[in-house]
DNA sequence: ACCTGAACACCGTTCAAGT
DNA sequence: ACCTGAACACCGTTCAAGT
């Protein structure tokens, strides 16, 4: 009769894989990868760990499914752009923003090669690369370059967000710390890092990300 | 008197942080990230876990140090290229090959933002970006784009190598499995992935990697 | 078919005690 | 200053037993 009001109550409805994945996403969003545990998860779902294993093969399977659920939402969104290039920018920004909202996706994406999440992104980018008129035998390497770049930025942003979260820093303090560290480097060995330290805290991740996309898109024109 | 001949012997010389890092690298190379444990490490060093903690803050510190040791070797190598672009290619390939030889570096690099390993690469690429004549206010975003791309490819290759290792597959079997998976996708939803599946197993990671570098370098010319 | 929950093997980390 | 090794808290996973 009782549903799941207080902490020690058992659930009465049946579990489902989707429910488990949703709960996992909530946990990951709240407290990062460290927050997802079979203990925390079964507590939130008001069951035991064994029940979860009935629906899910293991933790890696669960993480992959959670990642795919997030990516599917943005990869399936309609594209408003009028040109293939505009659509590539749109797709890329979609992934960027998804990782910004769910930093754990950044690392989970990399860790599941060949999984659906990556194929979804690959497919949509590949279609635009085709539409750009890239030669058949270059479509793979061009698409792969775009994908690698997107995953690279995503992975770094995810790591930054996680580190800042662990250290209890907000973004500007985090950037400030790195900038301070770079300012102290040996001027003879690290002229570039030192020179850039001052402007570093003011940079915009999203703008820089798009600059990189545009560099690659520009390079395609020269092929 | 005895040194470290049989398994239960204790070491007689003092431990050092460098020794620990070297042993960690060996373990990581032999059996991936799962192979590095304070248990396996202290066994190999013929001590207890407490001794390691005297020289190393925690596992993350150890992984970062191991990663930096590898990256320092390639980042400090002299550059033979005659043009800034050739030097960028050389630097990028150096990182690519280092990750190929030590796949765990691919993920460790991402996980330690602002650490020395990344700064070393950033610095050397940044110097070449300067030499290319990129405007001051664009040097950061261009360098960052190159770095993100390199880390993105590295991270994926690392993940592929690890997955293949876990499943006991060699590279060609691994690629074959992905290709087979893509061939079975819905032709209406995944035309690109399906179309590319056949040529996928024959692709060359290193060549594709360089293609991406050249796309970005080409884009710089158009800025 | 689905869930329970105790048990297992293993992990990173700590720390009083030694030298 | 450096090392020992038992102990702690916690983790993913299993599985006999229940419904």
């Amino acid at each position: 009769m009782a549903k799941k009001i207080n902490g020690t109550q058992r659930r009465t409805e049946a579990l489902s894989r989707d429910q488990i994945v949703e709960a996992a996403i909530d946990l990951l969003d709240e407290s990062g990868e460290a927050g997802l545990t079979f203990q925390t998860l079964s507590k939130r779902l008001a069951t035991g760990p064994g029940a979860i294993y009935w629906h899910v093969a293991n933790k890696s399977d669960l993480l992959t499914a959670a990642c795919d659920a997030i990516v599917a939402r943005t990869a399936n969104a309609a594209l408003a752009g009028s040109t293939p290039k505009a659509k590539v920018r749109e797709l890329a920004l979609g992934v960027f923003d998804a990782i910004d909202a769910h930093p754990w996706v950044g690392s989970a994406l990399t860790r599941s090669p060949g999984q659906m999440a990556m194929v979804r992104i690959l497919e949509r980018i590949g279609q635009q690369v085709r539409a750009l008129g890239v030669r058949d035998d270059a479509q793979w390497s061009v698409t792969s370059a775009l994908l690698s770049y997107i995953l690279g930025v995503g992975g770094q942003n995810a790591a930054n967000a996680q580190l800042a979260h662990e250290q209890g820093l907000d973004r500007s303090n985090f950037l400030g710390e790195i900038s301070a560290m770079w300012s102290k480097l040996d001027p003879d060995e690290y002229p570039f890092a030192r020179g850039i330290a001052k402007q570093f805290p003011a940079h915009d991740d999203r703008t820089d990300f798009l600059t990189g996309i545009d560099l690659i898109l520009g390079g395609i024109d020269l092929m």
Side-chain angles (χ1 to χ4, degrees), chain A residues 24-107:
Chain A
I25 290 174
D26 288 345
L27 244 15
L28 288 162
D29 285 345
E30 286 165 29
S31 32
E33 263 178 90
L36 179 61
T37 287
F38 278 83
Q39 197 166 184
T40 59
L41 188 57
S42 46
K43 187 174 195 177
R44 179 153 306 191
L45 290 168
T47 43
I52 297 172
Y53 273 93
W54 179 261
H55 300 274
V56 145
N58 50 42
K59 189 170 181 178
S60 165
D61 177 32
L62 178 55
L63 207 61
T64 300
C67 177
D68 189 48
I70 299 291
V71 170
R73 287 174 205 167
T74 97
N76 292 340
L79 295 176
S82 51
T83 66
K85 284 192 180 182
K87 288 180 185 169
V88 168
R89 284 191 201 95
E90 215 176 329
L91 284 163
L93 273 182
V95 177
F96 181 92
D97 290 337
I99 293 176
D100 194 52
H102 313 275
W104 52 273
V105 169
S107 40

Side-chain angles (χ1 to χ4, degrees), chain A residues 89 93 96-97 149 153 157 171 202-215:
Chain A
R89 284 191 201 95
L93 273 182
F96 181 92
D97 290 337
Y149 172 71
V153 175
N157 283 356
R171 177 184 149 83
H203 83 157
D204 183 313
D205 281 337
R206 212 161 179 269
T207 306
D208 289 345
F209 173 68
L210 266 191
T211 300
I213 293 288
D214 285 341
L215 285 175

Side-chain angles (χ1 to χ4, degrees), chain A residues 88 91 121-129 143 146-147 150:
Chain A
V88 168
L91 284 163
I121 306 174
L122 178 79
E123 174 65 35
R124 302 215 67 184
I125 293 178
Q127 289 178 10
Q128 302 312 319
V129 168
T143 305
L146 282 164
L147 186 63
I150 293 169

Side-chain angles (χ1 to χ4, degrees), chain A residues 129-192:
Chain A
V129 168
R130 269 192 182 167
L132 278 169
V134 172
R135 286 202 331 271
D136 270 26
D137 63 348
Q139 286 174 8
W140 161 255
S141 56
V142 167
T143 305
S144 163
L146 282 164
L147 186 63
S148 293
Y149 172 71
I150 293 169
L151 295 182
V153 175
Q156 280 178 273
N157 283 356
N160 290 344
Q162 199 196 341
L163 196 75
H165 182 266
E166 279 172 11
Q167 303 183 346
L169 296 172
D170 62 7
R171 177 184 149 83
S172 85
N173 284 329
F174 178 71
L175 296 181
E177 293 226 344
I178 292 184
S179 172
M181 193 198 286
W182 289 359
S183 300
K184 286 177 203 134
L185 292 168
D186 181 337
D188 291 329
E189 275 198 89
Y190 295 94
F192 179 77

